[in-house]
Amino acid sequence: MKAKKSILSMALATAVCISSITGCSSDTATRTLASSNAFGNLNLSVQEYQKLYSNSEEKDQFKALTLLARSQIVAGDYAHANESINEMFSKAKNDVQKDQASIVLAMMQSKQGYTDDAIATLKDVNYKALPRQALSYFLILNSNINNLQFQKTKNPENGIYAFKNQATLLKLVDSKNDRKKVIEKSVSILSAIDEKSLASALSRSNNEIDKGFYEYSIISRTSNDELKQNLLNDFAKRYSDHPVTEVVHIEPVDEQDNVKESNSIANVDSKAIFTLPENAKIAVLLPLSGRFAPSVGEPAKLGILTALKDRNIKANVVFYDTNKESISQIVATLKANGTKLILGPILKPEVTALNNTGIKIPSIVFNESETVRPVNQWYFDLGPNYEGSIAASKIFADQKQSAVVISKNNDQNAKRSATAFKHTFAKTKLTSNFCLYNSASNAKKELSNCPLSEVQAVYLNASTNDAVSIKPIIPATAQIYLTDKSYMGLNNSSSEFALKGALLGDMPWLLTDSQLKESFMKSLPKANPQVQKIFAAAYDSVAFAYSIEQLANNSEDVLHGLTGDITLGQDGLIETSPMWVELGKLR
């Protein structure tokens, strides 16, 4: 049975032509459009969508035109996008299509910074008549635009309206991962609204879901821990099935219960802890051939073998090539041969495939699953989201009250990191601003409107060369924070001294020279930061597997790994804290 695609992550199924889309026939265009959604993911270039529109039949032209206009907006080609939108209005055959054209128009207005116009455009849309996917798109867009307006004007009504769109969207999503994103977004939006406005919205609301979100947001601000626990206790009793409980563990506490004094014990489900016997059979699932082998499989294998050698572990380790055998085939073998632990995989689809088998063997993987995670599975987060969250936490810990995030416009990983930074920083009730650049050589002009003189901290998510070019633009009054993207592991290099004074958060093993680091650099001299992360996490996975019981028995205990200080996080996350150093100082 095929897995059902979620609304938020549904990708466009596009036909593949022998050469390129320019060689597709009208029949191919028809088949492509038939399998596409006008408000689904954009998988083609503007030129390809233009050709798709030119080759489309009359019945598919409006859908093709919608995709073309959206791609033009994303590419920043507003002149042609405006022409396409005008054509959408002229070709609209009914009110629903006119509303869809208005949605695309609002998208462009928002991208151009005309949030007032975008809000006015969306107010005239009869969203209740929209098809399901278009409605989902409308709600996300409307929420984002009103949230932007709220950040600009501080008008709480915009923030409340942004939240309400998310709450409505929640009724449309069904996958656990999608629901989690929408709920977390709702909580984040409300966290930035003042308590008085939330209390007013609560008193006016007749919707139990909305009321629960408002109440939780108000309760979460309570500084008195005892009072906060009592309020959460009451909340859990009155809203036992509220969506917020899907992402925040709220359990009512019976006042008659004897609360165990177990502060020294980590708050981890006992079923998540495992013990490895001597000579345990360990299976390692990695792409050891194919295109992901050099950048993913080989550095992970090297990390695991190095860790086993350094720790003198005599486990029976067997490597499985996920490029040659399917996950289900490998799992069938593991269930039968007495495997006690699985290390890997790394690629997200493979992690999801592993969990879809219903595996019961403990595992340590290197990506977050998109489906339900087994209770005895732990994972490293090696993605840019985690990097951005760590930077935000560090800046808040340093008591900086304002921050700007600078990242490259066409770098999707940088955008993900910046978004995670903003989300994490917002939890502190502080706000941050985005500033994007296209070329470091022209950054001074492109960042001229960035409020750098008004902030205390700048998170610069850029390559080493770009960071060196942009640093002189940033006033000395603002502390610069960098993460591993700006550092290739070469201590005291010319680029490091060009970034003198900036704080860098990276893996300890790269920030201090050692025999291990020297050996790695010789084995993989061209390794980028992501490859370095994979090697270090794979190395640490071995130490973690043999230390998990000790970490679970004492919440204050940490494992000093290559990736940083390791602790047991929530929901299976292996938390890693990087080392922060001031560049330009000898180490």
Side-chain angles (χ1 to χ4, degrees), residues 484 487-489 506-507 509-510 520-521 527-537:
D484 62 15
Y487 182 67
M488 292 300 293
D506 207 342
M507 296 178 290
W509 76 292
L510 289 177
F520 172 83
M521 292 300 187
N528 60 29
Q530 188 63 24
V531 171
Q532 295 166 355
K533 277 185 186 178
I534 290 172
F535 169 83

Side-chain angles (χ1 to χ4, degrees), residues 192-356:
I193 301 175
D194 66 278
E195 190 169 336
K196 182 178 179 181
S197 297
L198 285 180
S200 176
L202 175 61
S203 66
R204 299 193 310 264
S205 178
N206 294 318
N207 183 298
E208 287 299 304
I209 297 297
D210 290 0
K211 289 169 67 175
F213 273 110
Y214 296 143
E215 284 199 36
Y216 175 75
S217 186
I218 294 172
I219 291 171
S220 65
R221 302 158 195 240
T222 307
S223 57
N224 184 298
D225 290 340
E226 183 177 354
L227 175 60
K228 185 175 182 178
Q229 181 54 58
N230 289 336
L231 292 172
L232 286 174
N233 185 34
D234 180 62
F235 179 93
K237 291 176 180 177
R238 291 186 294 110
Y239 295 102
S240 59
D241 296 321
H242 194 274
V244 83
T245 61
E246 296 176 32
V247 298
V248 181
H249 182 65
I250 304 174
E251 185 174 329
V253 178
D254 190 340
E255 290 78 1
Q256 302 302 317
D257 289 346
N258 293 321
V259 181
K260 296 180 180 179
E261 295 183 1
S262 55
N263 293 332
S264 62
I265 300 176
N267 185 24
V268 176
D269 191 327
S270 60
K271 295 178 182 178
I273 310 304
F274 54 85
T275 303
L276 289 179
E278 190 175 353
N279 298 322
K281 180 171 284 189
I282 300 175
V284 183
L285 282 57
L286 299 170
L288 299 175
S289 63
R291 66 191 181 101
F292 289 110
S295 61
V296 175
E298 291 303 330
K301 181 179 180 180
L302 179 62
I304 290 170
L305 290 176
T306 304
L308 291 169
K309 179 182 178 181
D310 288 352
R311 295 179 69 89
N312 195 28
I313 294 174
K314 305 300 182 182
N316 180 8
V317 180
V318 182
F319 288 86
Y320 295 85
D321 187 351
T322 57
N323 190 54
K324 293 183 177 179
E325 292 184 81
S326 70
I327 295 294
S328 58
Q329 289 174 324
I330 296 173
V331 168
T333 301
L334 303 185
K335 288 180 178 178
N337 68 8
T339 293
K340 300 299 182 183
L341 175 67
I342 298 172
L343 297 181
I346 295 178
L347 304 177
K348 182 170 286 190
E350 293 182 346
V351 175
T352 299
L354 174 68
N355 292 344
N356 284 341

